């Protein structure tokens, strides 16, 4: 396997990892926000 | 003869072809635009600074390479004993450039550390000069209201191009100039290596912006965006904060100009047009949704992929359209902008509420405050009420004496 092919796949990995991490973080944050909101509503109702 | 040399310089070290070439190209442009769009999101999405002068910062990165790094390379190569054609005056600088760059490529070939150090030097200098140009932009513009600020920044983007076009010492004037291939030591295709480095810098920039936005400074930025009068009324220096934001984001934006210069191995002011480096990043931001990084990435990926596919397949697309396909990109920009503003004004991924890991706002809000304010220490000492006012005017002393 030549250097270009290895670097090409490194590039593809970087290209996939970066947005995947951002999407994962976005989903985690939205989930945490929803939980915090639910906890606030619960506290207010009680 | 000169044409052959020029073509040889532009295509040296480029081996990947076909679909892989298109993928590398898209990855490279994605990396470049993601840096610019993230910096724009940092400025506009989070701090409310409508920076319509992204092209100024990008062009600064390009000019850093053509005006400073190339001169440093020539000087170092001559000091090492390499014979170059004269390059001191404007005429020699432009017309001897292809020959000198060809010699420089031979010089860099066996010296990997030289190429890498020149890349790091260029990135560091462009970061500093980008921040300096951000400060220069901020001087007349930062006190202006959004509309006037935008007009001033658009004008500055054009002014930067005019400087590049008319001063050959910067970037070879209208002819442009070749840049020595700093990846000459790399045995494969330099564009693949260039794309990897660009994506890596994109990731580092993302983490930098993310850290900034999750810090108290990030919350201050959002507060300024929402109501700068309120922030100013509690003692914050709004103008200073906006200037700092503009400087930091400008420095990061300039990196993409430097990376583009090394990717092309060529710098000409026409490569840094306002439409290309300002309006397209704005469309990416508005399409994805300002104020969140996921939206910026989505907008960037969609627009870059769409543009590169259109550019590469223009020949085939021409058969489908009744108007010249060259205008299709510009039409697409306008149509997409109108469509997004009409149907999704908040972008594809709207901004969410601020969430900071480790901070439980619910607990903070519901926490019982057990402070007896009557016995709490006074911030400025002394008494309060009428007595305090009297003491401030010198009346307090009499009170104590009596």
């Amino acid at each position: 396997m030549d250097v270009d092919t290895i670097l090409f796949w490194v590039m593809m990995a970087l290209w996939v990892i970066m947005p995947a991490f951002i999407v994962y973080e976005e989903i985690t944050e939205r989930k945490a926000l929803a939980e915090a909101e639910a906890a606030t509503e619960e506290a207010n109702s009680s | 003869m000169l044409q052959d040399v020029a073509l040889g310089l532009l295509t040296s070290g480029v081996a990947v072809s076909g679909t892989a070439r298109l993928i590398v190209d898209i990855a490279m442009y994605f990396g470049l635009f993601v840096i610019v769009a993230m910096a724009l999101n940092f400025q506009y999405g989070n701090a409310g600074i409508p920076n319509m002068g992204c092209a100024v910062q990008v062009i600064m990165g390009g000019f850093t390479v053509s005006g400073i790094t190339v001169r440093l390379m020539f000087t170092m190569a001559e000091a090492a004993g390499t014979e170059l054609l004269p390059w001191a005056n404007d005429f020699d600088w432009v017309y001897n450039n292809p020959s000198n760059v060809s010699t420089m490529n031979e010089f860099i070939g066996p010296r990997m550390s030289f190429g890498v150090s020149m890349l790091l030097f260029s990135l560091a200098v462009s970061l500093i000069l980008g921040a300096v140009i951000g400060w220069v932009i901020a001087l007349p513009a930062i006190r202006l209201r959004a509309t006037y600020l935008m007009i001033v920044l658009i004008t500055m983007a054009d002014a930067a191009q005019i400087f590049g076009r008319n001063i050959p010492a910067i970037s070879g004037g209208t002819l442009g100039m070749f840049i020595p291939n700093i990846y000459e030591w790399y045995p494969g295709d330099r564009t693949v290596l260039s794309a990897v480095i660009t994506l890596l810098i994109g990731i580092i920039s993302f983490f930098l912006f993310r850290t900034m936005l999750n810090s108290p400074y990030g919350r201050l930025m959002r507060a300024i965006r929402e109501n700068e009068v309120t922030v100013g009324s509690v003692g914050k220096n709004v103008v200073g904060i906006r200037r700092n934001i503009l400087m930091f984001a400008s420095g990061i934006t300039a990196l993409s100009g430097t990376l583009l210069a090394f990717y092309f191995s060529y710098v000409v002011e026409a490569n840094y047009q306002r439409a290309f480096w300002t309006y397209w990043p704005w469309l990416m931001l508005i399409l994805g949704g300002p104020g969140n990084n996921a939206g910026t990435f989505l907008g960037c990926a969609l627009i870059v992929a769409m543009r590169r596919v259109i550019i590469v397949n223009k020949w085939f697309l021409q058969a489908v359209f009744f108007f010249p396909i060259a205008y299709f990109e510009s039409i697409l920009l306008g149509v997409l902008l109108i469509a997004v503003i009409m149907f999704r004004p908040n972008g594809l991924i709207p901004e969410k509420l601020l969430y900071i890991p480790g901070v439980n706002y619910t607990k903070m809000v519901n926490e019982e405050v057990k402070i007896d304010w009557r016995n709490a220490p006074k911030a400025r000492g002394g008494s309060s009420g009428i007595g305090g006012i009297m003491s401030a005017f010198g009346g307090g002393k009499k009170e104590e004496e009596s």
Side-chain angles (χ1 to χ4, degrees):
Chain A
M1 197 182 273
D2 66 331
V3 205
D4 274 346
T5 315
I6 296 167
L7 262 191
F8 182 81
W9 287 108
V10 169
M11 183 194 80
M12 293 298 280
L14 282 175
W15 204 7
V16 173
I17 287 167
M18 187 164 41
F21 174 76
I22 289 162
V23 168
Y24 166 76
E25 201 183 49
E26 187 74 15
I27 291 168
T28 317
E29 283 185 7
R30 279 179 195 272
K31 205 183 277 181
L33 270 172
E35 278 171 16
E37 207 170 316
T40 313
E41 278 175 17
E42 201 175 302
N44 289 342
S45 62
S46 63
Chain B
M1 172 64 187
L2 198 63
Q3 286 169 339
D4 292 341
V5 173
L7 192 66
L9 287 171
L10 285 174
T11 56
S12 70
V14 180
V16 172
S17 59
T19 313
R21 168 85 266 136
L22 178 62
I23 292 170
V24 171
D25 207 36
I26 292 174
M28 181 68 200
Y29 274 93
F30 175 76
L32 290 172
F33 273 113
V34 98
I35 295 171
V36 181
M38 271 193 307
L40 190 59
N41 181 38
F42 184 72
Q43 294 165 94
Y44 176 69
N46 293 288
I49 303 169
N51 186 0
M52 293 295 278
C54 298
V56 185
Q57 289 110 40
V58 180
I59 208 169
M60 202 62 205
F63 288 170
T64 301
V65 178
S66 61
I68 299 173
T69 311
V70 175
R71 279 191 172 79
L72 180 70
M73 282 183 185
F74 285 180
T75 311
M76 287 174 81
E78 280 186 334
T82 308
E83 282 191 19
L84 296 173
L85 294 177
W87 51 271
N89 62 45
D90 281 356
F91 183 85
D92 292 338
W93 175 246
V94 175
Y95 286 96
N96 291 339
N97 171 260
S99 168
N100 284 340
V101 168
S102 184
T103 315
M104 276 306 302
N105 285 351
E106 288 167 20
F107 179 79
I108 297 170
R111 296 175 178 84
M112 178 186 169
S113 57
F114 182 79
V116 174
S117 59
M118 282 301 116
L119 173 68
L120 294 176
F121 171 80
S122 306
L123 291 175
V125 174
S126 64
L127 196 69
I128 295 164
L129 289 183
V132 170
I133 204 76
W135 179 73
V136 171
I137 285 173
L139 278 179
I142 206 76
R143 287 172 204 276
L144 302 175
R145 285 181 181 278
T147 323
Y148 294 105
L149 176 67
M150 286 163 86
I151 294 165
V152 169
L153 292 173
I154 289 171
T155 319
M156 283 188 173
D158 275 355
Q161 262 193 290
I162 291 167
F163 274 119
R165 201 177 303 146
N166 292 295
I167 306 173
I170 299 176
S171 64
T174 48
L175 291 175
M177 57 182 290
F178 295 102
I179 305 297
N181 179 14
I182 54 161
Y183 310 118
E184 190 69 24
W185 46 270
Y186 175 66
D189 189 321
R190 71 178 161 86
T191 56
V192 184
L193 181 62
S194 192
V196 170
I197 291 169
T198 307
L199 286 172
L200 273 174
I201 291 173
I203 291 176
I204 294 167
S205 312
F206 164 71
F207 280 105
L208 272 175
F209 285 129
R210 180 173 166 269
T211 311
M212 286 282 285
L213 292 175
N214 285 341
S215 69
Y217 203 82
R219 298 195 284 280
L220 183 61
M221 283 166 60
R222 289 189 181 212
I224 288 175
R225 182 190 66 182
E226 296 305 325
N227 195 332
E228 64 183 66
V229 178
T230 311
V231 177
S233 71
V234 294
K236 298 289 181 189
N237 179 6
V238 176
V239 173
I241 293 163
R242 287 173 79 187
R243 186 179 54 230
N244 292 349
I245 293 162
L246 203 57
M247 281 175 71
F248 180 73
S250 297
I252 302 282
T253 310
L255 296 180
S256 62
T258 302
L259 293 164
L260 181 78
F262 286 130
Y263 179 65
F264 282 158
S265 276
Y266 183 72
V267 172
V268 66
E269 47 80 29
N271 270 347
Y272 300 92
Q273 283 175 358
R274 175 163 41 85
F276 197 77
W277 289 106
T278 304
Y279 299 152
W280 282 106
W282 266 92
L283 177 62
M284 289 164 194
L285 187 68
I286 290 169
L287 179 68
N292 71 81
N293 278 323
T296 310
F297 268 75
L298 181 67
C300 194
L302 285 175
I303 298 289
V304 169
M306 210 152 44
R307 285 199 67 226
R308 298 321 293 174
V309 168
I310 291 169
I311 289 168
V312 171
N313 296 305
K314 265 181 181 171
W315 177 254
F316 306 106
L317 288 169
Q318 183 58 73
V320 184
F321 291 96
F322 63 92
F323 55 84
I325 196 72
Y327 303 130
F328 184 53
E329 263 185 87
S330 309
I331 292 169
L332 190 74
L333 189 149
V335 170
L336 269 176
L337 202 58
I338 293 166
V340 170
I341 288 170
M342 276 178 74
F343 301 111
R344 298 281 297 187
N346 291 327
L348 294 175
I349 304 177
E351 186 185 357
K352 63 181 182 307
L353 288 170
L354 193 61
Y355 173 74
I356 297 134
V359 179
N360 189 343
Y361 282 109
T362 315
K363 194 182 168 190
M364 280 170 69
V365 169
N366 293 328
E367 202 171 14
E368 280 183 37
V369 181
K370 292 176 182 171
I371 301 171
D372 185 1
W373 294 108
R374 286 166 300 185
N375 296 325
K378 300 288 180 294
R380 297 191 181 189
S383 54
S384 58
I386 299 294
I389 296 168
M390 290 302 285
S391 67
F393 287 100
K397 204 177 176 183
K398 284 177 188 172
E399 216 173 63
E400 279 170 24
E401 282 169 1
S402 63

